[in-house]
Structure formats: C-alpha cells, structure tokens
Amino acid sequence: MNGGTSNMSRLLADYAVLNQGTDDELICYGYEDNKVKKFIFLVLVVVTFGLILLLLYWKPELECYLKKSKCALYKADTVLLEDHYQQKHVCSIKTFNLEEELSEFSDAYNRDESSPENHTDVNDVASLTVQQPDPIICYFDFQHVRYIWSKHLKTYTRLLDLSANTKCGEFHEKYKGLSVLQQAHRRVVYGENSIDVEVKSYWRLFIEEVLNPFYIFQIASIILWSLDQYYYYAACIFLISCISMGVSLYETKRQMVTLHNMVSTASTAVSVVREDGTYDNIPVTDLVPGDVIVIPSHGCTMTCDAVLMAGTCIVNESMLTGESVPITKTPLHQCEDEEIYSPEQHKRHTLFSGTKVIQTRYYGQYKVLAVVVRTGFSTAKGELVRGILFPKPLGFKFYQDAMRFIMFLAVVALFGMCYSIIQYIRLKASPERIILRVLDIITIIVPPALPAAMTVGTVYAQNRLKKKQIYCISPPRINFCGRLNLLCFDKTGTLTEDGLDLGKVIPVKDKNFTHGINDPSLMERGDFLVGMATCHSLTIIDGEISGDPMDVIMFNATKWSLEEPGRDTSKFDTIMPTVVRPATKDTFMPDEDLGDATQFEVGIVRQFTFSSSLKRMSVITRTLGKSHMDVYCKGAVETICMLCNQDTVPEDIDGVLRQYAVQGLRVIGLASRSLDPKITWHQAQRIPRDKVECDMTFLGLIVMQNKLKKETKPVIKTLLAANLRCVMITGDMITTAVSVARNCGMVGSRDRVVIVDAHKPESSNDQARIEWELSEMNVEESPETSDYDSEDTTPFLTSSLYEKFSTDFKGYKYHAAKQVTSRVQIDEVQTHLAVSGKSFSVIEKYFPDLLPKICVQGTIFARMLPDQKCQLIQKQQELGYIVGMCGDGANDCEALKAAHAGISLSEAEASVAAPFTSRVNHIECVVTLMREGRGALVTSFGCFKYMALYSFIQFISVMILYTYGVNLGDMQFLYIDLVITTTIAVLMGYTQSYERLSVQRPEGSLVKPSNLLSILLQVFCAAQSWYEVVEPEGGEMKVSWESTVIFISSSFQYIVVAFVFSKGPPFRKRIYTNVPYLASLLLLTAFSAGLVLLPWKPLMDFFTLMRLDQKPVMFRALLLTIVAAHFIVAVIIEYLVTDNKTMKSCIKRCVQCLRPKKSQSAYKRVERELVLADWPPVGQVTYAPTVCGDADPTSIMLDNMQADATVTR
C-alpha cells in the first residue's frame, strides 16, 4: 500500500530533480497549455504591438508563466528546467512510436520481425531506454542530452548507455553484434552518432543579432532621433550599427566554422559485425551503443567511444588531452569481468571519440574489434564540446556589477525624465516635444555602446596572446586571468622537461644494493636487463620507436632492438605483439642451453598497461627456448615493494630511496617472477592481473633525472615576488616533488616542509590518524650509493647545492637539505605542507574540518590521481581562491577544465583540453597570460568608467539645457558620440600590458569604494556650472550661448576623463606607448581648442555654434582656464585621492565600520587562524573524532625515539 501511495505521489508530482548530486543537477517542472492564458496572451500581443514577443525571446521561461499552467510531469507538454546556477531553460516534450519508426525496416530488409532471431531484445533495449519497453516514448533534449520518461520511476531520467552499470563481462558474453532491426531500434532512441556544431546561416545570425537587446535599443533610438529631426546623427549611427553588426556576424560565423571544423570528422563508412557473424558497412552516423565495429588496420579517426575487445591499437589522443605521445590500447580482458565498466577507470581499453588510431595489431586472421559504448554528445569528446557550447557561468563580479550599474543609470534616467516633463510643461512645450525629450533621456544616460566598449580590452588581449602562440577558446576567461591568486602546476612536462636522462641503475644482489651502473647495456644478460628491455608499451611508427618518453629512454639505454612481428612467428606458438633482442654480436649464445634455438629473443606475450591508480605496469614475456614465461613489473617503488616477496627487498631501501628523491631524481622500481611452465599462451591472455603481479622478486632501482626547464625557476620567482601562491600537483612520489619544489623556488631554501601522512582505520576499533612529520629527516649518506653522489659521476644531478647540517626542532634531531638560491633576503621561515593522494582522500573523508587548513598551507600535492587533482582545485575555489592550472594535458584535463583559467601546454593550435592552449612548451605563458589578463581587466574598468562619465556628463549637460528650453545640435551630438567617444573607446584598449607582474592586483568589482569614489568625484567635478545663464527668447533653440558653451566645455571634459582613466603601470604601459590613442587625444584637444581660439565661421555654422569671435578674448581665455582647472582637479582626484594608499585604507576602514559583518574570503579567515595558532602540530599524531562524538581531532605528541609506538588518548 505504501509503495503504491509513493508511486502515485511521484506520478502526480509537478516537479522532479534530475541528475541529483551532480554538477548537471536540474529541477524539472511540468507545464501544459492553458486556453484561457493563451487568449489573454494574444490580447497582450495586440495591445503591446508584438513587443511582448520580444520579452519571450529574451526570457523563454515567460512562455510557461504567460501561456501555460503547472501540471504533473507525466502529462506535461513542456518542461521548465532550472540548473545548478539558477538559470532557467524551456524544453518541449516530444514523442515517438517505436513500432511506427521501425515498420519500414521489415519491408526494406525483407525480414520477419516476429521471428526470434530478428526480434529486438526487449530486455536489452529496456536497459538502454531506462527500462521502458513501451513503444511510445516521451522525451526531451536539453543541451544535446536526451531525457526519457520512465514509467517505472515515474519521472524523466537521463538516457543511459553502456558506460553506466555495465559489467565488463557483459561485453564478452552479450555483445557479439546487432541485427539490422536492433540497430535501427537503438538509432531511433539514441539519435544520430555525430557531434555537429551548428553553423548558422548569415540570415539567421542577422535575425538573432537584430533581436539582441542592444540592437533593439539602437533601432528604437534611431527612430526617436529621426522623429526629432536629428537626421544626420541617426543616419551615421545607423551606418555604424550596420558596420558593427557586419563585423559581429563575420566573427560569430568564423568562430562557429572554426569550432565546427575542430570537432567534426569526415562522414565515412565503418564495418560492423552483425548478429549472425557477418560484416556490414554502414555510415558512422548510424552507430549505436552495442554495435561491434572493426578498427581498420590502416587506422582511423574514432567517431564514438568504444571498448577494445580484440587486438591492440596505437592511438594519438592529442585532440582531447593536448598530449601527442602515442598510447597503446589493449583489449578488455575477461579477468575484469566482474568489474563495472567505467571509461575513466578502463581508459587503457577505451578508444575515445576524436582520437586518431595510428595503427592496429591483431592475431592471425582475427580482426581488431571494439564495442561502441557511447555515441554523439555523450562521448568524452562530446562532453568537452558541450562544455564549450554551454559554458558554466563565470560568476565574475565585474560583469554582475556592470549590469547593476546599468540598472542604476536607468533609475537616474527615470528621475531625469520626471525633471524634463516638469521643465517642458513650465515652458509650455507641445506634448509631442515633451515625449521626444523624455524618451531622449534614456538614449543619453544609458550608452548603447557600453557592452562593446567593455569587450575592447579582451579583444586586443586575445589578439596579442595569439601572436605569442597562446590560443583561447573562451575569451571572457581572459579577465579572470587578471584576478588569479593561486596557480597550480603539474610537475612532469610542465615544471620539468618531458624527456628524462637515465642516471644509473642499481641492481639488488643477495638483498643488498650493488654499486650503481651508468651504462645498463654493459650489464650481464639477466632479469634486470630483460626487464628494462621488455617492460614498456613502445611501438614502431614510421620506422621510429614511439611511446612514453620514459619508456623510450629506458629501452634505448639497453641498446637492444625492437621489432614488430612478421609472419614467421611459429617459434613463439602464436603471433607476438613485440619482439626484442640484443643488437650486438653476442646475440648468438651457443654456450647457453636453449634447445634448438641459437638466438636470444624475448617475445612480449601480454601487456598490463600503466595505470595511474595502480601506479605500475607489467608484461608477460617468453624468452626463446625457455619452457616458462616471465613477468616483469615496474612502477612506483613503494608499490613494487608491496608486490614483492619481502625476503628480496633490501632493508635500507627507504634510506636509499630518500637519498635520491631529495635530489629531485625520479626512482622506479623493477621486479620479476617466473610463471608456472604449465601456463599456456591462451591462459596468459586470460589470467587476472593480480594473479601475476604478486610474490615477485625485487630486482633493483632505475634512477632517472627529470631536469627543470630553464624557464621554470625565473617564472616561479616572478610569481612569488608578485605575492601569488604557487602549488605543485603531481603524480610523482612526494620526496621527489619536495625536491623539485625546492629547486624551482616554490619552497624557500630555509623554509620547512611538513609531510602530512594520513592513515585510514585498519579495523573497526581503530581510528583514522594523521602523522605530521618534518620532511628531509634522517637523510644519511648510504655507503652503497656514495659514489652516486660524487660530482664526477653525477653530471645529470640538479644544479642546486646541497649541504648537510643538523638542527634541533621540538626534540627532533634531523638532517635537512639546504638549497643555495639567489634570494638574498628572507623575511621569515615559512611552513609548507606536502600531502600525498592517499592522505588527501583520508583527510577528505575523516578530517573534513582540517581540509581547509591543508588546502591553504599545502604547497606540494603528490601521487595525486586525475580526479583528485580536480577535487583539489574545486576545494580551493570553494575557499575563495581564483585558481589557475597549468599542465600538459593527459591526466590534467579534468583539473584544467575545473580551474578558472586552465592552460594546456600543447603543440596543437586548438584543442578542447583547456580554455587556453600554449604552443610554447614552458610556464612562461602563465606570466604572459596574467599580464594580459590584468591589462584587459583594467582596460575594461577604464572603458566602463569612461562610458559612465560620458553618460553623466551628457546627461547633466542636457538637463541644464532642458531647463532653459535649449538642446545640443545634430552635428554636436554626432561629434561627441562618434568622433570623440567612439574613437576613445576603441583606442583606449590598444595600450599593451605592463612588462612586469606587480604585487598589486586589479580590482575585481565595480562597486569597490575606490571605484565609486573615482566616478562620483569626477561626476561632481564635471557637473559644475562654468558659465552664465542667458534666458531664451522663446521656444527650444539649438543655436544659443548655452548650447555653445556646454558643447565646448563638455567636449574637453570627455577628453579629460579619457586621459585620467587611461592609467599606466602597474598593469598597463604608459599612455605615450599607445601612439594612436595619444595622437587622437591630442588631435581632439587641438580641434576643440581651435573652436575656441580660432572660431572659423563655416565650422561654427556646421556645428550650429554661436560666433565666439564676437566675445572678448578674456571670455575665451576664461573658458580655457576653466577647462585647464578641470583637468588639474580631475588628475588630482584620480591619482592623488582615489589611488592614494592612505585614502584607500581610510575608505576600507570606514566601510568595515559601516558593514562589519561583510563576508570575507574563506581562505583569508583560515590564513588568519593559522597565523594566530601554532599549526601544524609537527611531531604529533592527530586522531579523527570518535563515534561517540568528539568535537575536535586530538593531537598527541609522539615519542622522539619511538614514533611508531602505541599512543593512548
């Protein structure tokens, strides 16, 4: 009964929450037609002469309120969607009948639908269509995502595909190919497999542009000016609007074409496997989830996401990740059958849409097969493209404040309209004249060119960035770059070089490290050398070895050769993906017992590709002539040690490992084991990974150096000098990351680093804990590796000079590494936290109260998984940071998209990996982007303040003239709006950004007290009465002394405020560097002065001015003196008052007194707490609250000599 009541309540509900708990969460309201409301709406259309239709175009949600009524979702014909950002969208409900849609296929293919072998599997389709076998399906599409009505759930839900709730085993058992009818069925449900960015026609773009509120306002203004007999002015504004619209249409069309070409793929045919095992060629647009496709041997560009089932593929994923290193994709193995398939977790088995398959490998006559899991905009590429088409609101205060200011101007216009009505009634003007004057106030106080003026700085900045090979697909984010206060960097490939130098290898013998070997090719042929030669995922492309740079370096150091398999492979029982052999004359080894074989060769039977979550990769190999197979595994040292038999791991491995890690060297562990001779090749293809990666023998360490890029240290120094926080987020081990942070200057030479080591509960009675350990403790020089530290044998070591010294701190005696840097003066020793990905997840779950402190004080985040990088950036954003992220693609994609400004270092000119793409492969682009962002933001502020002053000056001027029945002439308006204002607004943003990055950051809000004070004081200065009033002789005049003096004085005022708002350093270069702008200001000043000093009669008549030469010279001199006084006062206000630090401090204190409860950024509050508290608790253990409700974590001091001893609370 309760279940029935619950189902009924869900059925009758008029709203539902879709995608609950995700960033795509939607509140869905149901609406249906209301005949009474429709009739009333038609009346409103007639009464408002169709203007209400414009409101519906601008605000589509009004259609639901004005024409429809709320109803239960199941009978709605329209849904109103409210997203996570409170934006509203309207979608129409559509239906289709599967039986009708599919009726043609039975005739076209001459098949009997009723036969069991050709009938669509109801249960199969039900899982794809949200368990709804009903032939009539209701759905709506929102931002290229389809939502279908579920009769079971009594609500709309997102259409599922094979990437959700599908076990890996089902791909092997269930998906052998679809029949024509099954495929058609799914095609009706899922739609076409295409990522088509619509390129609108010029006519459609023109209509949409004309209906823009800006152009509607322009059209209304032009009509008003024409009725007021301002024909020349109206004609010029019309011409300028047409030119502006043409340029806008061209740019919009060009951007659409660029994006369309970037994401589209050629429409080709693809071979699919049918249900009966036959092959059929179909267009790629007809692919649906569940199709089994054949990957051609010559390669292709993927148009869907598909999981690889047979064969291997070499793929270039630069379109998605910005990283052009070839990646090997291996088939989904049956050992993973019980796992739930996830494109992210199983990305090494997934071919993603938009990526290019370079070549394929297959066994015998078998084809390379893959099962389609996602199509169209549901693919990984489609999701990224949707992020471009429908970006999340940036929430930048500047744009929000601009809208508020326009509303304020509208209120001012309302008062001006009331004042004008009173004055013209007093002057007994005609009703027509009063209406024209009142409406004209709106066109004066609300400048129609304001939106365009605000984007000028961004446009210029984007063009300058393009010249510096930094490409942007989201121009509004350029202004965000001017406000960044936290910069996150990946390590490998970003701070350090992509390539690695092999330092040496350190084999293990009898559980002890031997002396390091600089040239591995000189080693005796054993497991260590074979492991280096085989444990990789390299391939040969166009005759060259390609793959991960580290694998290439490691393999080349062995001086072995790698060969792709040929036809003669019978000696390996079956075809091998890769064969390696020594490239020396010693290849032939008659002294070894290899049976009939005389050549030493190793075939790689199977690869377990590198997994960032597992932190390792491994291979199964077979050496020619041996009766068993071997397993070789390499990866993070701590991971490899856990997989090995502990009797083979040296006891001093921790000390040796730290010895190299603190020098910034990358250390990789290598291990091996022999498999049972009974295991056949076919069994090796199916054996689970965890069954072979166990009980291994530890072989030794491979030490590699990841050199800093030469630009890294100067850039980090520049950012820190500008008081910008820098953070490293890497997948490398924590000790290496700490060393690199010291080498690049992210951590000062005298700063201390505290390792945050968090542990989850080991049992139900245990508690989660955090151990706070001082980094670089007990770094003793190992006798086994002392030769490695000598200068003559370590040319690959970092340039930093390390000195050993002892220090006592809170009872700890430890050795630390001191780096000599170029910093001369250090104010204080700072504390930096270093956190591993494992600790981060434990803290996030068990210590949520400590997470803000760790995010604020953490500088090094190591062993971070891709999703953890994204989570960290989101946590920083929640604390109020404006975050920039710089990475080289691949594992950084999620973080790059999440950051306010994500910068991908990529050779691709354009990719969907991040909002910004730099073809200059070092982090200097970060400084460039910040400088341009700051310049663009300050330019936008300057343009906005200028347009605001322009509006106020003209508004006050006209109000004064209206008081006496006078107005400016046609040419006077034209000169002010077209010649002065437009020229200034266009050229003001041409000033380049300042060459240095300052500590000061530009304001992010227009309503900051300093900005408001600047505008108000300038308005007050410009609004003073500088002339004597002459009473009009009757009627409205356009030629009078009032209009003449107002026109001349206001012309100078526009130029003066343009000059004072064109500030130079610290964000832009000085005004004289902008030659066109300075020249225009000087010419405009000279022309306006010429009107006063040399009043030429034809010119005075053209501007409808009174003859100034009829006035005494002292009158004209006084007029220019007043203009000069205004210039001096304006400069004093802007540079000595509003920009004065003391004045800003006083204003800030006054504001704090008036608004003491004003919210402060969360990270600032945390910083203040950290300054007042003695934190972190170094040498202590912090326990998570107990179940019975401890309020705060408790820290307990560890015994100095027994850090691992049991501590009681």
Side-chain angles (χ1 to χ4, degrees):
M1 184 66 183
N2 290 336
T5 304
S6 176
N7 287 335
M8 183 59 67
S9 62
R10 286 204 305 266
L11 181 64
L12 298 178
D14 60 2
Y15 80 97
V17 180
L18 312 181
N19 308 322
Q20 193 166 6
T22 68
D23 290 338
D24 296 326
E25 183 174 294
L26 298 169
I27 302 178
C28 178
Y29 300 94
Y31 284 86
E32 64 179 352
D33 282 336
N34 185 308
K35 293 183 179 180
V36 176
K37 282 190 173 184
K38 270 194 169 183
F39 176 76
I40 297 174
F41 178 77
L42 290 174
V43 174
L44 289 174
V45 171
V46 174
V47 172
T48 60
F49 301 100
L51 291 178
I52 196 171
L53 294 174
L54 272 178
L55 287 177
L56 260 66
Y57 178 77
W58 296 334
K59 290 282 189 181
E61 64 266 25
L62 291 178
E63 181 179 0
C64 294
Y65 305 143
L66 297 177
K67 298 169 63 177
K68 299 177 182 294
S69 299
K70 267 191 176 183
C71 68
L73 280 174
Y74 79 93
K75 60 178 182 178
D77 56 35
T78 303
V79 290
L80 177 64
L81 304 173
E82 184 177 340
D83 62 20
H84 192 61
Y85 308 100
Q86 284 74 52
Q87 293 182 329
K88 293 181 171 62
H89 312 268
V90 177
C91 296
S92 297
I93 301 296
K94 303 173 185 176
T95 61
F96 55 73
N97 190 315
L98 283 175
E99 292 180 353
E100 293 180 1
E101 295 285 347
L102 300 176
S103 60
E104 60 180 291
F105 287 94
S106 59
D107 297 328
Y109 293 96
N110 194 25
R111 294 180 183 268
D112 181 10
E113 291 186 35
S114 61
S115 61
E117 65 272 15
N118 295 316
H119 190 66
T120 305
D121 185 350
V122 175
N123 292 327
D124 183 42
V125 174
S127 66
L128 298 173
T129 59
V130 201
Q131 299 180 358
Q132 178 172 311
D134 196 310
I136 298 178
I137 296 177
C138 299
Y139 71 97
F140 67 86
D141 294 326
F142 172 65
Q143 294 183 349
H144 299 298
V145 175
R146 180 159 292 184
Y147 294 83
I148 286 186
W149 176 259
S150 167
K151 288 191 174 181
H152 174 68
L153 299 175
K154 305 296 187 294
T155 185
Y156 283 96
T157 184
R158 186 168 181 165
L159 179 62
L160 303 179
D161 50 41
L162 298 186
S163 65
N165 304 323
T166 305
K167 286 188 175 182
C168 295
E170 294 182 23
F171 290 105
H172 293 283
E173 300 167 3
K174 195 172 184 180
Y175 297 100
K176 306 294 186 181
L178 300 179
S179 67
V180 174
L181 185 59
Q182 287 174 326
Q183 188 185 62
H185 190 166
R186 298 187 184 206
R187 190 162 60 249
V188 171
V189 175
Y190 285 95
E192 194 176 71
N193 172 39
S194 65
I195 303 175
D196 187 20
V197 176
E198 182 184 8
V199 179
K200 299 175 182 177
S201 65
Y202 275 113
W203 173 249
R204 182 175 171 185
L205 288 173
F206 172 75
I207 296 299
E208 291 180 357
E209 196 76 9
V210 167
L211 294 178
N212 185 290
F214 167 71
Y215 285 109
I216 292 292
F217 183 58
Q218 286 283 53
I219 292 170
S221 300
I222 290 171
I223 294 172
L224 178 65
W225 296 326
S226 300
L227 294 174
D228 204 17
Q229 299 181 355
Y230 284 94
Y231 299 120
Y232 291 114
Y233 184 76
C236 287
I237 295 300
F238 175 76
L239 181 61
I240 291 172
S241 297
C242 289
I243 295 173
S244 173
M245 187 181 296
V247 173
S248 177
L249 292 181
Y250 172 77
E251 284 297 320
T252 303
K253 179 89 170 181
R254 185 178 65 82
Q255 290 177 6
M256 283 184 172
V257 171
T258 300
L259 183 59
H260 175 82
N261 294 339
M262 185 173 72
V263 303
S264 64
T265 52
S267 181
T268 56
V270 62
S271 180
V272 298
V273 181
R274 290 298 180 199
E275 193 178 32
D276 56 2
T278 60
Y279 296 92
D280 192 9
N281 287 332
I282 63 170
V284 292
T285 53
D286 288 350
L287 289 175
V288 295
D291 266 327
V292 180
I293 59 175
V294 178
I295 309 298
S297 57
H298 54 77
C300 65
T301 299
M302 295 298 298
T303 57
C304 61
D305 287 356
V307 58
L308 196 60
M309 304 305 297
T312 59
C313 295
I314 311 299
V315 182
N316 186 331
E317 295 185 338
S318 60
M319 173 64 188
L320 296 182
T321 66
E323 191 173 22
S324 58
V325 175
I327 298 171
T328 301
K329 301 285 185 175
T330 58
L332 191 67
H333 293 287
Q334 293 179 347
C335 61
E336 301 167 302
D337 283 356
E338 294 304 313
E339 297 179 14
I340 299 296
Y341 171 75
S342 166
E344 281 301 316
Q345 184 179 347
H346 299 92
K347 63 182 179 180
R348 283 292 184 175
H349 310 304
T350 305
L351 304 171
F352 292 104
S353 175
T355 61
K356 185 174 179 59
V357 178
I358 302 172
Q359 63 178 229
T360 63
R361 295 177 185 166
Y362 51 91
Y363 307 121
Q365 300 302 316
Y366 293 102
K367 296 181 181 294
V368 179
L369 303 177
V371 176
V372 177
V373 292
R374 299 187 295 199
T375 58
F377 281 93
S378 296
T379 61
K381 176 184 174 182
E383 290 290 340
L384 292 173
V385 174
R386 285 202 316 116
I388 298 173
L389 296 176
F390 311 105
K392 66 178 182 180
L394 297 176
F396 200 25
K397 285 185 178 181
F398 175 67
Y399 300 112
Q400 299 169 358
D401 294 340
M403 292 297 102
R404 294 193 191 105
F405 196 79
I406 290 176
M407 296 302 297
F408 169 73
L409 292 179
V411 173
V412 173
L414 184 62
F415 284 105
M417 292 164 68
C418 296
Y419 177 80
S420 300
I421 292 173
I422 295 172
Q423 291 300 322
Y424 274 94
I425 290 177
R426 183 180 63 83
L427 295 172
K428 299 179 181 180
S430 63
E432 295 83 1
R433 177 63 55 191
I434 294 176
I435 293 173
L436 288 175
R437 285 290 157 262
V438 167
L439 293 177
D440 194 34
I441 293 294
I442 301 175
T443 67
I444 291 172
I445 192 62
V446 183
L450 180 60
M454 288 172 58
T455 60
V456 166
T458 303
V459 171
Y460 283 126
Q462 187 177 7
N463 290 333
R464 287 195 291 266
L465 288 172
K466 191 173 182 180
K467 291 178 182 178
K468 295 174 183 177
Q469 295 187 306
I470 301 173
Y471 301 90
C472 175
I473 60 174
S474 181
R477 289 183 183 264
I478 293 177
N479 281 342
F480 259 111
C481 296
R483 293 285 300 161
L484 295 178
N485 54 10
L486 171 62
L487 292 162
C488 302
F489 297 93
D490 179 36
K491 184 180 75 70
T492 307
T494 304
L495 297 175
T496 61
E497 297 285 356
D498 280 320
L500 297 169
D501 292 334
L502 180 67
K504 58 175 59 180
V505 296
I506 309 174
V508 170
K509 186 176 182 180
D510 299 329
K511 205 179 177 181
N512 291 310
F513 285 109
T514 63
H515 289 288
I517 301 173
N518 292 322
D519 187 355
S521 65
L522 301 179
M523 296 175 62
E524 62 180 63
R525 195 169 296 145
D527 285 339
F528 198 107
L529 187 61
V530 175
M532 289 184 64
T534 58
C535 195
H536 53 70
S537 57
L538 300 177
T539 185
I540 295 178
I541 300 175
D542 297 330
E544 294 187 0
I545 295 177
S546 299
D548 185 271
M550 185 186 73
D551 286 348
V552 173
I553 294 291
M554 187 179 69
F555 179 77
N556 287 338
T558 65
K559 297 181 181 178
W560 283 32
S561 64
L562 181 145
E563 294 182 6
E564 299 293 341
R567 294 191 177 186
D568 184 16
T569 55
S570 57
K571 53 193 172 185
F572 291 103
D573 297 331
T574 184
I575 293 182
M576 297 295 172
T578 307
V579 176
V580 296
R581 61 171 64 91
T584 65
K585 62 181 181 180
D586 298 330
T587 295
F588 294 94
M589 300 177 297
D591 56 324
E592 292 195 19
D593 184 14
L594 295 175
D596 296 332
T598 58
Q599 189 176 19
F600 188 84
E601 293 183 353
V602 183
I604 301 175
V605 176
R606 183 181 175 188
Q607 292 179 352
F608 295 101
T609 53
F610 177 78
S611 168
S612 56
S613 59
L614 298 178
K615 303 173 187 175
R616 65 181 184 269
M617 75 158 293
S618 58
V619 292
I620 299 176
T621 67
R622 183 181 173 191
T623 303
L624 185 61
K626 288 188 177 181
S627 59
H628 65 272
M629 299 182 189
D630 298 295
V631 178
Y632 293 95
C633 183
K634 79 170 191 291
V637 179
E638 60 270 27
T639 302
I640 298 300
C641 288
M642 287 191 294
L643 300 176
C644 290
N645 187 327
Q646 296 305 304
D647 292 337
T648 66
V649 179
E651 295 179 356
D652 60 342
I653 188 168
D654 290 337
V656 174
L657 182 61
R658 184 170 295 181
Q659 180 75 19
Y660 294 117
V662 297
Q663 299 176 66
L665 302 174
R666 189 168 185 179
V667 185
I668 299 162
L670 185 65
S672 71
R673 77 172 278 206
S674 297
L675 294 179
D676 191 323
K678 296 179 181 179
I679 295 179
T680 65
W681 183 88
H682 293 286
Q683 290 173 331
Q685 299 304 313
R686 296 191 298 269
I687 191 171
R689 184 169 187 164
D690 58 348
K691 296 297 183 184
V692 297
E693 293 179 340
C694 61
D695 297 327
M696 306 188 82
T697 299
F698 190 77
L699 298 178
L701 303 176
I702 302 172
V703 183
M704 310 185 86
Q705 184 206 7
N706 203 191
K707 292 181 180 178
L708 282 177
K709 294 179 179 178
K710 64 179 181 180
E711 298 84 5
T712 296
K713 195 168 184 177
V715 170
I716 297 296
K717 183 178 179 181
T718 300
L719 296 174
L720 293 177
N723 200 25
L724 295 165
R725 187 177 163 214
C726 295
V727 170
M728 182 193 301
I729 310 177
T730 177
D732 209 339
M733 62 187 299
I734 198 165
T735 46
T736 302
V738 170
S739 177
V740 172
R742 286 198 182 275
N743 289 344
C744 71
M746 200 175 287
V747 174
S749 59
R750 294 176 57 187
D751 292 350
R752 62 174 187 161
V753 177
V754 176
I755 305 293
V756 183
D757 190 11
H759 302 269
K760 63 183 180 181
E762 297 178 358
S763 65
S764 58
N765 297 324
D766 199 4
Q767 291 175 265
R769 69 185 191 278
I770 301 177
E771 297 175 2
W772 310 85
E773 303 172 359
L774 208 55
S775 176
E776 301 168 340
M777 295 169 49
N778 304 321
V779 182
E780 304 291 347
E781 186 175 358
S782 173
E784 291 86 353
T785 58
S786 58
D787 65 318
Y788 186 66
D789 296 315
S790 61
E791 186 177 354
D792 57 341
T793 60
T794 56
F796 54 88
L797 284 175
T798 55
S799 58
S800 303
L801 177 62
Y802 289 89
E803 298 176 354
K804 307 293 182 184
F805 67 94
S806 297
T807 308
D808 287 313
F809 181 78
K810 289 189 177 181
Y812 274 87
K813 187 171 183 179
Y814 69 100
H815 296 288
K818 177 183 177 183
Q819 179 191 21
V820 178
T821 66
S822 59
R823 188 180 298 177
V824 178
Q825 183 178 359
I826 299 177
D827 297 329
E828 60 182 6
V829 175
Q830 295 183 351
T831 299
H832 305 263
L833 300 184
V835 188
S836 67
K838 177 182 72 70
S839 296
F840 182 81
S841 61
V842 172
I843 293 167
E844 189 176 24
K845 183 175 181 180
Y846 296 100
F847 300 88
D849 293 340
L850 290 180
L851 192 58
K853 291 183 180 181
I854 289 171
C855 287
V856 168
Q857 200 159 354
T859 301
I860 299 146
F861 294 86
R863 290 294 193 223
M864 297 288 280
L865 301 177
D867 60 330
Q868 288 181 320
K869 292 183 179 182
C870 182
Q871 290 169 14
L872 175 61
I873 284 181
Q874 290 171 343
K875 293 292 182 184
Q876 301 282 19
Q877 290 171 332
E878 291 173 6
L879 290 171
Y881 283 108
I882 301 178
V883 186
M885 172 70 190
C886 184
D888 60 349
N891 294 331
D892 303 321
C893 275
E894 292 182 43
L896 292 171
K897 298 295 288 187
H900 290 107
I903 312 162
S904 173
L905 305 182
S906 170
E907 295 180 0
E909 180 171 323
S911 73
V912 292
F916 298 95
T917 303
S918 172
R919 296 186 70 182
V920 181
N921 195 25
H922 53 72
I923 63 171
E924 194 174 338
C925 62
V926 174
V927 177
T928 302
L929 197 54
M930 288 196 65
R931 289 195 299 104
E932 292 296 345
R934 290 182 173 190
L937 185 57
V938 170
T939 298
S940 297
F941 270 110
C943 283
F944 186 91
K945 289 163 69 174
Y946 171 75
M947 296 303 292
L949 262 294
Y950 151 74
S951 297
F952 275 115
I953 291 171
Q954 194 168 82
F955 173 73
I956 294 168
S957 300
V958 171
M959 286 294 98
I960 294 172
L961 293 177
Y962 281 6
T963 304
Y964 304 102
V966 183
N967 200 4
L968 295 175
D970 196 354
M971 291 303 169
Q972 293 172 359
F973 272 122
L974 195 62
Y975 174 72
I976 291 172
D977 289 356
L978 183 62
V979 178
I980 297 180
T981 304
T982 304
T983 302
I984 288 173
V986 170
L987 295 179
M988 182 182 283
Y990 197 66
T991 305
Q992 295 187 12
S993 59
Y994 198 51
E995 58 269 13
R996 290 195 296 272
L997 208 59
S998 68
V999 175
Q1000 183 183 355
R1001 287 191 303 149
E1003 300 287 359
S1005 172
L1006 280 171
V1007 295
K1008 287 286 185 181
S1010 57
N1011 287 329
L1012 294 179
L1013 181 66
S1014 171
I1015 293 174
L1016 292 176
L1017 289 179
Q1018 293 293 352
V1019 168
F1020 177 77
C1021 179
Q1024 300 303 307
S1025 176
W1026 306 115
Y1027 56 92
E1028 293 184 4
V1029 176
V1030 179
E1031 290 292 336
E1033 298 177 357
E1036 183 178 84
M1037 298 183 298
K1038 294 183 180 177
V1039 183
S1040 66
W1041 284 111
E1042 287 85 353
S1043 63
T1044 299
V1045 174
I1046 285 286
F1047 168 70
I1048 291 176
S1049 61
S1050 64
S1051 296
F1052 280 110
Q1053 287 176 335
Y1054 297 127
I1055 300 169
V1056 168
V1057 295
F1059 176 81
V1060 298
F1061 288 151
S1062 300
K1063 296 180 181 178
F1067 306 118
R1068 295 192 299 174
K1069 290 185 178 179
R1070 301 192 184 276
I1071 190 172
Y1072 58 77
T1073 61
N1074 188 347
V1075 177
Y1077 180 59
L1078 183 61
S1080 65
L1081 290 182
L1082 293 175
L1083 288 174
L1084 291 171
T1085 303
F1087 182 80
S1088 298
L1091 291 177
V1092 178
L1093 298 175
L1094 301 172
W1096 187 36
K1097 185 178 184 303
L1099 204 57
M1100 306 300 282
D1101 293 340
F1102 178 78
F1103 283 107
T1104 61
L1105 299 173
M1106 298 294 287
R1107 295 290 301 278
L1108 284 172
D1109 54 350
Q1110 295 176 0
K1111 288 286 184 179
V1113 175
M1114 288 302 297
F1115 173 80
R1116 287 179 278 169
L1118 178 61
L1119 189 61
L1120 291 179
T1121 302
I1122 292 171
V1123 169
H1126 172 236
F1127 172 76
I1128 294 171
V1129 173
V1131 170
I1132 291 174
I1133 289 173
E1134 195 64 23
Y1135 289 91
L1136 300 182
V1137 178
T1138 60
D1139 265 5
N1140 185 273
K1141 292 183 178 179
T1142 305
M1143 177 63 72
K1144 284 185 176 181
S1145 179
C1146 292
I1147 294 172
K1148 186 177 181 180
R1149 283 197 292 268
C1150 292
V1151 171
Q1152 288 175 348
C1153 292
L1154 294 173
R1155 293 188 296 173
K1157 294 184 180 180
K1158 181 185 176 184
S1159 61
Q1160 191 181 34
S1161 296
Y1163 77 88
K1164 291 184 178 179
R1165 292 197 298 270
V1166 175
E1167 285 177 346
R1168 191 167 61 250
E1169 291 174 9
L1170 292 175
V1171 170
L1172 299 175
D1174 184 14
W1175 199 88
V1178 180
Q1180 300 182 27
V1181 174
T1182 302
Y1183 288 92
T1186 59
V1187 179
C1188 58
D1190 287 352
D1192 299 306
T1194 303
S1195 297
I1196 297 181
M1197 176 68 77
L1198 277 175
D1199 186 275
N1200 292 341
M1201 305 302 295
Q1202 297 178 350
D1204 294 329
T1206 302
V1207 181
T1208 59
R1209 301 187 64 185

